[in-house]
Structures are given as structure tokens and as C-alpha cells.
Amino acid sequence: KNESWVKDGAGGWHTLEDTMDNFDFGTSGTGSAPSVGSKGQNNYNPAVFDGSNDLTFSNNPASSKLDIGTTEDFILACVISIADTDSVDTLLQIGAVNSNGFCRIDLGTSGTDRKVNITTRASNTNAVCSIQNLFTFDDVGILIVGSVGGSHIGRWNGTQVTAIGQTRRAIDGGTTNVTLGAGYTLVADTNFCDVDLYESCFIIEKSTSSANISTAICEELEGYFAHKFKLTSKLPDNHAYKSVPPRLSSVIDQTGS
């Protein structure tokens, strides 16, 4: 069950990349790769980000940078348990802080709000939107957050909440780094995230693509996660995959084309 987190020896970017240990990322000191946690949801092992110095950075080595390009819609979908640290910390960051094309997804608590913040930047101006009271702390659930159909949204166990105070902007990251578990700045605190991460995927829709990230795609991901990790009881009764998981025939025609 924990094979998904084991380094494959290929030397590329990996969640548990051992070269992250003692990686120097500026004034915040040295970092560490997340560890493999004990068996949890449906007997799977999570990757544990301790909220202190754990992160994964795609620019280590530099050849692992990702080609983001100009991205319209994007989502981060994951099975996750979020600790209540009384702070808002960074789960995912694309690009360099305060540079055009930058995007960051923060989650946590501020006051009584359980919230996700999505920050995007264009024309030297940050746009921050907030999705409030979205998730439950210290409880394994299915989180989807990002931009769907032109609007920033958050989904927790199949229920969608639209962001407030939002200004949707395309990410124009080109070939850039992606950080999971912290906000990589080199010059400031990194806002490490205290989470157990069972599985995740990041999907982008480039501006040259004819495809759109839709609610149906979100539901397919939720169905896959829910049936794999035995979380179907948390999906709403009217969810498309409450009773049965998504099948290949739902996304391609019967001829296999």
C-alpha cells in the first residue's frame, strides 16, 4: 500500500525525494522530505508533512521543473487529513512569490473559519479569494480546490463551495517549479503545512487545449478516491459515484477510441 510513496531510484521529482533532506531554502533553514505514516484510511499509508520543515520541491534537480504554460483552469485533488494549527499554511505553490504567473493554495484556520485561500498574480497585482468553512480538521476527506469553468471553487467530500472575493486569473508560469507542503520563498518563512496526504493529483488546462475542467471531472476524481479509500459514506446522496466508481467507459466511447 505504501509503494506509491517509495522512491523509484529514477532520480526525478518524487514526493519522498531523499535529496530534500537538509535542502537549503534560505532563511528558514533546511528542509526535509515528508515521511511515510502508519497505515490509516482503508489500510493505506499517508505521506506525512509535519508542519515544521517537510516539503517537496519540483526544482530539485532543476530538470524536474514543470511546463505549466498559460493555464486557464486548474485543480488540486487529494485525499487528505488537515491538522488544526491555528494558522493558514501553504499546501501547493506554483512559481516564485510575487512574480506574475504565481499561484498558491493555502489552507487552515483563521479565527473560527476553516478556509482555503487561492492567490494568483498578474500585472504585478495579487488577487486573493477565500473559500470559507470548507473542510473538517483531523478527518480524512476528499479535497478539490482550484478553478473550474472560470470560477475558483473548493469541494470537500463532493460538496462544492464557490470562493468569495475572487478575481480569477490565468496562471502564466511557463516552465517553473512546483512546491508541495510549503510556500517556497528563499527569503521568508515558508508556511509549512501540517497534513497527512494519502493521494493527490494536479490537473491543468492550458489555454491551447480544447478541453475544460468541469464539475463532471471533479466528480470522477471524487468517485475514484471515495471507492479506493472507503469514503463513499461521506459523499452526498446525489453524487454521481456514490454507489459505483467511475468506469473507463464513462470517459471514452465503447470502441475504445
Side-chain angles (χ1 to χ4, degrees):
K1 298 291 175 77
N2 65 354
E3 288 85 354
S4 298
W5 301 118
V6 175
K7 185 175 182 294
D8 61 10
W13 181 35
H14 192 278
T15 305
L16 300 186
E17 182 67 53
D18 54 13
T19 55
M20 287 309 307
D21 289 338
N22 299 317
F23 179 60
D24 185 0
F25 49 93
T27 58
S28 294
T30 56
S32 175
S35 60
V36 177
S38 57
K39 294 185 184 298
Q41 189 67 33
N42 199 22
N43 211 31
Y44 282 90
N45 302 74
V48 177
F49 294 79
D50 64 5
S52 175
N53 67 344
D54 288 352
L55 77 162
T56 297
F57 186 45
S58 70
N59 192 26
N60 191 36
S63 60
S64 295
K65 285 187 175 183
L66 300 185
D67 181 10
I68 300 296
T70 300
T71 299
E72 301 299 329
D73 280 355
F74 63 93
I75 56 171
L76 173 68
C78 56
V79 176
I80 193 171
S81 176
I82 306 163
D84 186 358
T85 60
D86 198 28
S87 62
V88 180
D89 301 315
T90 303
L91 178 61
L92 179 78
Q93 179 176 308
I94 301 167
V97 170
N98 292 333
S99 63
N100 287 338
F102 161 74
C103 176
R104 188 176 68 221
I105 296 174
D106 300 325
L107 51 83
T109 182
S110 177
T112 60
D113 292 333
R114 305 176 308 281
K115 67 181 181 180
V116 174
N117 289 337
I118 303 174
T119 303
T120 52
R121 185 176 178 85
S123 302
N124 296 313
T125 302
N126 282 338
V128 182
C129 65
S130 179
I131 308 164
Q132 297 185 356
N133 299 321
L134 179 63
F135 51 83
T136 304
F137 285 117
D138 299 312
D139 182 33
V140 179
I142 304 166
L143 175 70
I144 296 180
V145 60
S147 179
V148 175
S151 296
H152 286 143
I153 60 96
R155 295 175 64 94
W156 179 250
N157 294 327
T159 298
Q160 180 165 313
V161 179
T162 301
I164 61 175
Q166 65 167 314
T167 301
R168 177 182 173 274
R169 290 179 172 144
I171 304 171
D172 188 9
T175 301
T176 189
N177 54 61
V178 175
T179 308
L180 186 65
Y184 182 84
T185 68
L186 283 177
V187 294
D189 292 338
T190 48
N191 298 327
F192 293 100
C193 210
D194 189 347
V195 298
D196 289 354
L197 188 64
Y198 284 86
E199 188 168 342
S200 66
C201 66
F202 180 62
I203 299 175
I204 61 175
E205 174 219 340
K206 292 189 177 181
S207 58
T208 57
S209 172
S210 60
N212 295 309
I213 297 177
S214 62
T215 299
I217 290 175
C218 294
E219 289 186 334
E220 288 171 356
L221 288 167
E222 290 162 345
Y224 160 71
F225 285 143
H227 287 272
K228 177 176 180 178
F229 292 97
K230 290 189 176 180
L231 295 168
T232 53
S233 63
K234 297 186 177 184
L235 296 179
D237 290 340
N238 62 350
H239 195 279
Y241 302 104
K242 173 79 170 180
S243 301
V244 295
R247 304 293 184 184
L248 192 59
S249 59
S250 68
V251 292
I252 63 173
D253 65 35
Q254 296 298 319
T255 64
S257 60

